[in-house]
Amino acid sequence: MLLIHSPLPLEFRSNLPGTGAKMKTSAPGRACGIATVLLSLLAVLHTSTPQKNDIDIYSLTVDSRVSSRFAHTVVTSRVVNKANVVQEATFQVELPKRAFITNFSMIIDGVTYPGNIKEKAAAQEQYSTAVARGESAGLIKATGRKMEQFQVSVNVAPSAKVTFVLVYEELLKRRLEVYELLLKVQPQQLVKHLQMDIHIFEPQGISFLETESTFMTNELADALTISRNKTKAHIRFKPTLSQQKSPGQEDTVLNGNFIIRYDVNRTLSGGSIQIENGYFVHYFAPEGLPTIPKNVIFVIDKSGSMLGRKIQQTREALIKILDDLSPRDQFNLISFSGDATQWKPLLVPASAEDVNQARRYVAGIQAQGGTNINDAMLMAVQLLSNANRQELLPAGSVSLIILLTDGDPTVGETNPARIQKNVQEAIAGQYSLFCLGFGFDVSYAFLEKMALDNGGLARRIYEDSDSALQLQDFYQEVANPLLTAVTFEYPSNAVEEVSQDNFRLLFKGSEIVVAGKLQDQSPDVLSAKVRGHLHMQNITFQTEIRVAEKEEEFQSPKYIFHSFMERLWAYLTIQQLLEKMILASDAEKQALETRALNLSLQYSFVTPLTSMVVTKPEGEERSEVAEKPVETENKRKHFHLGLPLSRFHTMGDRRSRLTAGPSGKVPGNPGRIGPQGPVHSPSHHLTYHGVRDLLLPDMLLAPSTPDEVDLRIKARVPAIPSDTMTHRHQERKPSGSSADTSQPAKTDSPPAPIQAPPVILTLPGQSVNPLCVDIKHSQGPMNLLSDPDQGVEVTGQYETEKAQFSWIEVTFKNPQLQVRASPEHVVVTRNRRNSAYKWKETLFSVTPGLNMTMDKAGLLLLSSPDKVTIGLLPWDGPGEGLRLLLRDTDRFSSHVGGTLGQFYQGVLWGPPAAADDSRRTLSVQGRDYSATRLLKLDYQEGSPGTEISCWSVEL
């Protein structure tokens, strides 16, 4: 049988076995199996790959139905063993952390082996019995920032077929004005029938919809279809075998994320109440409310462990956050190591002058010393309390404390429980505390409880190149409070078993969700009141709906799964009960746990209180277990060296692996730790290798999940020596020029290599060579081009000493979107939401009014019908740096301008110079430029580039 376990939020289980065990061979002609579910925070490295003509996935389907934000996803994989020996197939799916698994089954030789949800203690007893017989081993798999991994392995007899079915559910959470459905795609082999269908039904109406993929190519784009009307959307991805193939290879290109983001129509009202099968859900996110002024204290850890990139990214994020403060806000900064220091004695208004002073202060923060969280937090509370007593806090304003730390307390008060108690008593319910844990050296459980105790929340900041963006995004979520003290009221004779109905804060871009059950004899009309406090007044939203009319909305769409709203209510209630358990006393915790457990069992949810038991084919005695990962676990501090990290399975010296979702590190990847080849263990045995065999302690210091590690090997053109004084390479004129009268090069000094210019412009309607623009003089950001009719503006910072752009930014008016490229990555910002993409990682994003694509060469194209196509490229050939390219330039309007845009306003070319036909003059808007025909490298098709003859102009 198979057990799926999920730990309590504050529990870390360290007694999982780590020994290998023998496995019985399968009976001839039928399949027998072992099943393994992996839901964990620890990392694993995959050690087996699919063998062609062995385990064949002939069908893989994903069907996700989103009904009023509640997503029901079914993953089905059908495989056959084409070998003449028993093979092991592995079904692997990554699912969102907030999702609950609701069902899993295997169909082997026509017999279904279902999963049954049991109380964790009962399931554990069965598992412990197997452990005592030495027949069980725990396996751990990696999770990324947002995902958990589910994995089942089974032995498949020759010619036998197996069907795997996994079902999970989640309530999509609105964040920065969008809902996001994230699906992983990584079959690791070509699949004859591969299909993904996503159906969305939103009675409020769909206002915005976009898709994004990290594996899509131009060939695969033809397999993606999107249809949409006012309330429904259908996204289908159905690639053929030829579309799945990598260019020139037989491998699949499908490997990455498929994301759907959307939002719904809303008004300045009491929200939307929806009813289905006797249950209701109330979504509340009114439009048009003014933001409430805030008083915010940033408490920043500058201890020695923040040294290096972490403190650099913190400074970078804080500077941008300070720029986003409203003039109506007040703020202060506290930095701490062994001692705590406040920037100013009082809160100061977010005026331009004070923000600039704060920016300079932040830029000078250096990391050193210990970690005194207690004193820093009490100092922050004291600042707000003193201001409150002196009536310096604006009436109706909201006060927030934002703590960022990367470690546990080491100086002053170091007992976490006493620090939590001190902070809670000092705050006394007056202010909200938000805690950010940077990396995995900090106790997330400590921060989470401290934040929840004080009306806030905690968030982990992952150590990566986009850590600064993670900090900025979190701030944007809490930057615009709209309402305080929000309460929901319903008639007592109409509803019952209502979920949480009072909330401290509502922020712009988020949403409050309340669900409940209608009473049997409830009125025909359901009324609801939502009360809250605006900046200077109270407000009440009142809504009335006719129950029968609302129920009809969910009776017609054929793809809505039955009783989804009841399951939505159960899901929401369980999540809230689990959160309350973190704060509850021992006496209260038992009642909360009992209710959450009963709901989990009733609705078949795998939660931290339940386990799933799967019966295996007759003759198999083994059981294996894994626990649902929780954010409170500390990857480094609690790394248990007894846990096996890798599995090797040999049958007839042949190995097979099937994955229906991403599998962490790709076999054979240079970033992989451990043996590369097969392990020759005795036939029909399952062999485990523990962490001690694979990892050294210093290897644990870097994140090892798929979302956090960049395993690309970047091929670079060898460095070219340049003039040490000017850092510029000499250029060669095209051969054959009448002016080519320079002296022959000395035999001991080869000619300087050809360089790629900063910008190449192809002018429309011109038969002359392209224009190569060389920027010699630049101070500050440059307006490269702007076209108000096209709704686009391109700016950039050019470093003349390095002869390259340090950043290029493209801003679109419709859709309102900004793309900022740096040598490190690309950041797309929309509705205050940042998404970071590393260069040379494929991207395919379809947004209304704009398509974004990036290929493996790193060419990012921003295109739209009837608009100019703008390209960005991280050129790594000679003259490396960011490059800009333009296509469809005939679409520029007559109002285009800017340093580069001026060349599309009509260029007048003068005749070649009489004595030198490689020189010409061109006039642009009354200004003359000298142009010289030179050989340059054309970067527009990627490295290594091709030689072209172009007219070079210096600006």
Side-chain angles (χ1 to χ4, degrees):
M1 58 184 61
L2 163 72
L3 292 89
I4 308 169
H5 282 279
S6 301
L8 290 172
L10 298 179
E11 178 183 13
F12 178 80
R13 306 186 64 88
S14 58
N15 60 344
L16 296 180
T19 59
K22 294 183 178 180
M23 183 182 63
K24 293 185 177 181
T25 58
S26 59
R30 64 174 291 132
C32 63
I34 43 171
T36 310
V37 175
L38 295 309
L39 297 173
S40 166
L41 282 172
L42 298 182
V44 72
L45 307 177
H46 294 289
T47 58
S48 55
T49 59
Q51 300 296 315
K52 295 178 181 178
N53 304 319
D54 286 354
I55 293 294
D56 177 53
I57 312 173
Y58 62 89
S59 176
L60 175 60
T61 62
V62 179
D63 184 79
S64 189
R65 306 187 178 205
V66 183
S67 309
S68 187
R69 285 78 143 176
F70 193 66
H72 174 91
T73 302
V74 181
V75 182
T76 305
S77 181
R78 293 178 170 87
V79 307
V80 60
N81 181 10
K82 292 187 174 181
N84 57 5
V85 295
V86 174
Q87 293 289 318
E88 181 188 73
T90 301
F91 171 77
Q92 185 185 88
V93 176
E94 288 198 18
L95 60 151
K97 287 182 178 180
R98 289 180 55 84
F100 288 155
I101 292 173
T102 65
N103 188 32
F104 170 72
S105 62
M106 295 184 295
I107 303 173
I108 305 173
D109 286 348
V111 179
T112 299
Y113 299 89
N116 297 308
I117 305 296
K118 292 189 176 184
E119 182 181 358
K120 194 168 188 178
Q124 184 66 25
E125 182 178 348
Q126 292 175 294
Y127 170 67
S128 298
T129 303
V131 171
R133 295 196 301 262
E135 296 175 346
S136 179
L139 295 179
I140 305 296
K141 291 292 180 181
T143 62
R145 298 181 189 177
K146 299 179 181 180
M147 308 297 282
E148 296 173 352
Q149 195 175 84
F150 176 99
Q151 178 171 300
V152 174
S153 297
V154 63
N155 296 330
V156 186
S159 302
K161 294 181 179 181
V162 179
T163 298
F164 301 96
V165 181
L166 176 72
V167 184
Y168 62 87
E169 296 174 344
E170 65 172 320
L171 178 62
L172 303 183
K173 187 175 182 180
R174 190 171 188 248
R175 176 180 168 271
L176 293 174
E177 303 183 22
V178 295
Y179 307 98
E180 180 178 283
L181 178 68
L182 172 58
L183 302 169
K184 288 277 190 173
V185 182
Q186 190 184 32
Q188 289 197 345
Q189 63 174 260
L190 300 176
V191 181
K192 183 178 180 180
H193 174 226
L194 192 154
Q195 183 169 330
M196 299 176 65
D197 285 284
I198 299 95
H199 295 274
I200 301 173
F201 175 58
E202 290 290 348
Q204 287 177 254
I206 300 171
S207 64
F208 164 81
L209 177 72
E210 71 175 9
T211 63
E212 178 183 310
S213 167
T214 58
F215 58 80
M216 199 75 69
T217 62
N218 290 330
E219 292 76 17
L220 282 171
D222 295 333
L224 176 66
T225 58
I226 302 173
S227 58
R228 169 185 163 189
N229 60 24
K230 182 180 178 181
T231 59
K232 304 175 190 175
H234 178 203
I235 299 97
R236 169 169 287 178
F237 179 61
K238 190 177 180 181
T240 63
L241 281 172
S242 60
Q243 289 172 323
Q244 297 174 42
K245 289 182 181 179
S246 299
Q249 301 181 26
E250 292 300 312
D251 297 330
T252 178
V253 297
L254 302 182
N255 183 353
N257 298 336
F258 189 77
I259 304 170
I260 298 93
R261 299 187 184 95
Y262 74 95
D263 198 14
V264 301
N265 296 319
R266 58 189 84 245
T267 60
L268 179 60
S269 69
S272 173
I273 298 178
Q274 297 166 25
I275 295 175
E276 190 252 357
N277 200 32
Y279 284 80
F280 79 93
V281 61
H282 189 170
Y283 295 108
F284 182 71
E287 287 286 287
L289 293 180
T291 58
I292 300 175
K294 61 184 180 294
N295 317 294
V296 57
I297 309 290
F298 300 99
V299 184
I300 307 302
D301 185 346
K302 62 170 185 177
S303 60
S305 57
M306 290 283 290
L307 189 66
R309 188 164 74 160
K310 282 197 283 190
I311 197 66
Q312 176 185 344
Q313 291 174 322
T314 300
R315 288 193 298 256
E316 176 187 336
L318 269 176
I319 287 172
K320 292 187 180 296
I321 287 171
L322 290 170
D323 289 339
D324 288 335
L325 289 171
S326 166
R328 299 193 302 161
D329 295 338
Q330 294 189 118
F331 74 104
N332 205 337
L333 299 156
I334 292 174
S335 59
F336 71 94
S337 52
D339 298 314
T341 305
Q342 57 192 47
W343 169 54
K344 296 283 188 180
L346 301 171
L347 276 82
V348 298
S351 64
E353 180 181 353
D354 286 318
V355 167
N356 284 333
Q357 288 185 28
R359 286 164 56 96
R360 290 192 290 271
Y361 174 79
V362 167
I365 294 178
Q366 301 296 324
Q368 61 179 354
T371 307
N372 191 337
I373 295 176
N374 187 74
D375 286 1
M377 288 303 304
L378 296 183
M379 179 180 287
V381 177
Q382 191 66 36
L383 266 172
L384 289 171
S385 298
N386 289 342
N388 195 22
R389 281 195 301 270
Q390 299 172 31
E391 299 183 352
L392 298 177
L393 301 182
S397 61
V398 171
S399 296
L400 312 176
I401 300 173
I402 299 178
L403 167 67
L404 170 67
T405 182
D406 77 329
D408 294 338
T410 61
V411 177
E413 179 58 73
T414 58
N415 184 295
R418 282 199 288 268
I419 295 174
Q420 291 166 343
K421 183 173 182 291
N422 293 344
V423 172
Q424 186 175 16
E425 290 177 350
I427 289 179
Q430 299 180 83
Y431 323 120
S432 295
L433 171 62
F434 299 89
C435 297
L436 303 177
F438 205 146
F440 288 91
D441 286 329
V442 65
S443 170
Y444 187 83
F446 161 63
L447 294 181
E448 183 179 39
K449 185 176 189 307
M450 191 161 64
L452 293 175
D453 276 337
N454 297 284
L457 55 87
R459 180 75 54 82
R460 190 184 299 283
I461 303 299
Y462 292 84
E463 294 183 53
D464 207 338
S465 61
D466 68 339
S467 296
L469 293 175
Q470 295 176 54
L471 291 169
Q472 294 170 48
D473 272 2
F474 175 83
Y475 172 75
Q476 289 297 339
E477 290 184 55
V478 300
N480 297 289
L482 300 178
L483 289 172
T484 63
V486 184
T487 59
F488 291 72
E489 300 174 8
Y490 307 96
S492 58
N493 67 337
V495 301
E496 60 189 5
E497 298 188 57
V498 178
S499 63
Q500 181 180 338
D501 58 7
N502 61 91
F503 304 84
R504 181 178 288 197
L505 287 165
L506 170 66
F507 294 102
K508 183 178 180 180
S510 67
E511 181 176 65
I512 295 177
V513 184
V514 178
K517 183 179 181 181
L518 297 178
Q519 293 186 11
D520 292 338
Q521 303 299 324
S522 61
D524 294 335
V525 176
L526 176 63
S527 62
K529 290 182 180 179
V530 183
R531 304 182 190 273
H533 300 313
L534 292 170
H535 178 203
M536 297 297 290
Q537 64 185 45
N538 298 331
I539 188 171
T540 300
F541 302 87
Q542 189 156 343
T543 303
E544 287 189 352
I545 54 109
R546 293 191 175 276
V547 174
E549 291 180 3
K550 284 292 180 180
E551 285 187 318
E552 288 179 3
E553 291 179 337
F554 292 99
Q555 291 174 357
S556 57
K558 64 180 180 180
Y559 49 80
I560 300 303
F561 57 97
H562 183 62
S563 299
F564 84 92
M565 200 164 289
E566 181 178 355
R567 299 188 63 80
L568 184 159
W569 165 81
Y571 172 97
L572 181 63
T573 302
I574 293 169
Q575 292 279 25
Q576 292 175 350
L577 289 170
L578 293 173
E579 185 174 288
K580 289 179 180 178
M581 286 170 58
I582 297 174
L583 304 178
S585 64
D586 292 340
E588 298 170 328
K589 187 176 295 184
Q590 184 58 51
L592 294 170
E593 180 176 331
T594 298
R595 187 173 181 222
L597 172 61
N598 290 338
L599 287 173
S600 300
L601 294 173
Q602 181 181 349
Y603 291 95
S604 296
F605 285 135
V606 177
T607 72
L609 305 175
T610 56
S611 297
M612 179 181 283
V613 179
V614 176
T615 305
K616 299 188 307 178
E618 183 180 354
E620 290 295 321
E621 299 175 354
R622 292 175 46 97
S623 297
E624 294 181 301
V625 66
E627 297 184 340
K628 181 178 177 66
V630 290
E631 199 63 63
T632 54
E633 290 178 347
N634 187 317
K635 284 187 179 178
R636 295 178 188 165
K637 290 180 178 292
H638 300 294
F639 201 96
H640 188 62
L641 292 181
L643 298 177
L645 276 193
S646 297
R647 178 178 58 181
F648 302 87
H649 192 190
T650 304
M651 286 193 172
D653 289 330
R654 305 187 72 178
R655 297 173 295 144
S656 294
R657 186 174 195 83
L658 151 72
T659 56
S663 58
K665 299 192 178 182
V666 179
N669 193 299
R672 184 181 129 182
I673 303 168
Q676 297 289 330
V679 171
H680 299 287
S681 55
S683 181
H684 313 304
H685 280 67
L686 193 63
T687 305
Y688 298 88
H689 290 259
V691 181
R692 291 187 181 91
D693 299 327
L694 298 178
L695 298 179
L696 296 175
D698 59 299
M699 289 180 174
L700 304 180
L701 297 178
S704 56
T705 64
D707 288 3
E708 298 166 359
V709 180
D710 179 13
L711 297 177
R712 289 180 286 108
I713 300 178
K714 188 175 183 181
R716 298 177 61 90
V717 176
I720 306 293
S722 61
D723 187 292
T724 57
M725 298 297 292
T726 64
H727 300 281
R728 294 183 180 276
H729 301 276
Q730 298 176 356
E731 308 292 350
R732 286 192 284 141
K733 295 181 180 180
S735 60
S737 167
S738 61
D740 190 11
T741 58
S742 57
Q743 295 296 320
K746 295 180 181 179
T747 55
D748 59 350
S749 178
I754 300 174
Q755 296 290 290
V759 180
I760 297 175
L761 301 179
T762 302
L763 305 183
Q766 296 287 341
S767 59
V768 297
N769 298 130
L771 195 66
C772 294
V773 180
D774 192 5
I775 302 172
K776 294 289 188 180
H777 307 285
S778 173
Q779 291 184 350
M782 303 173 62
N783 177 15
L784 298 176
L785 68 87
S786 61
D787 189 334
D789 294 2
Q790 288 270 307
V792 64
E793 182 179 28
V794 181
T795 56
Q797 177 80 54
Y798 190 80
E799 299 183 16
T800 53
E801 291 185 0
K802 296 182 179 180
Q804 62 179 315
F805 286 100
S806 57
W807 57 264
I808 298 175
E809 190 170 273
V810 185
T811 303
F812 296 93
K813 290 184 179 179
N814 186 24
Q816 292 187 352
L817 183 143
Q818 186 180 79
V819 179
R820 185 182 179 93
S822 67
E824 191 172 37
H825 55 212
V826 177
V827 178
V828 178
T829 303
R830 177 170 185 158
N831 291 334
R832 303 173 291 121
R833 185 181 73 253
N834 294 306
S835 299
Y837 307 96
K838 293 178 180 177
W839 291 108
K840 301 188 180 182
E841 292 185 351
T842 54
L843 169 69
F844 191 93
S845 174
V846 179
T847 302
L850 182 69
N851 289 352
M852 288 187 291
T853 63
M854 180 159 56
D855 59 22
K856 291 185 177 180
L859 176 58
L860 176 68
L861 293 178
L862 311 172
S863 61
S864 178
D866 304 322
K867 289 187 178 180
V868 175
T869 296
I870 298 173
L872 301 169
L873 179 73
W875 172 256
D876 51 12
E880 64 179 357
L882 291 177
R883 293 294 189 270
L884 174 72
L885 58 94
L886 302 173
R887 297 177 181 174
D888 307 313
T889 54
D890 56 329
R891 297 174 180 174
F892 275 126
S893 75
S894 59
H895 299 109
V896 64
T899 303
L900 304 179
Q902 63 177 326
F903 293 102
Y904 294 93
Q905 275 283 27
V907 175
L908 298 177
W909 288 92
D916 187 352
D917 63 3
S918 68
R919 297 184 181 276
R920 297 181 71 175
T921 299
L922 71 158
S923 298
V924 180
Q925 295 180 323
R927 182 173 179 178
D928 292 341
Y929 293 92
S930 176
T932 305
R933 192 169 64 223
L934 299 172
L935 284 179
K936 297 278 190 177
L937 270 184
D938 186 356
Y939 56 78
Q940 297 180 92
E941 300 301 325
S943 185
T946 56
E947 289 188 14
I948 60 170
S949 174
C950 69
W951 291 100
S952 181
V953 174
E954 292 186 359
L955 299 181

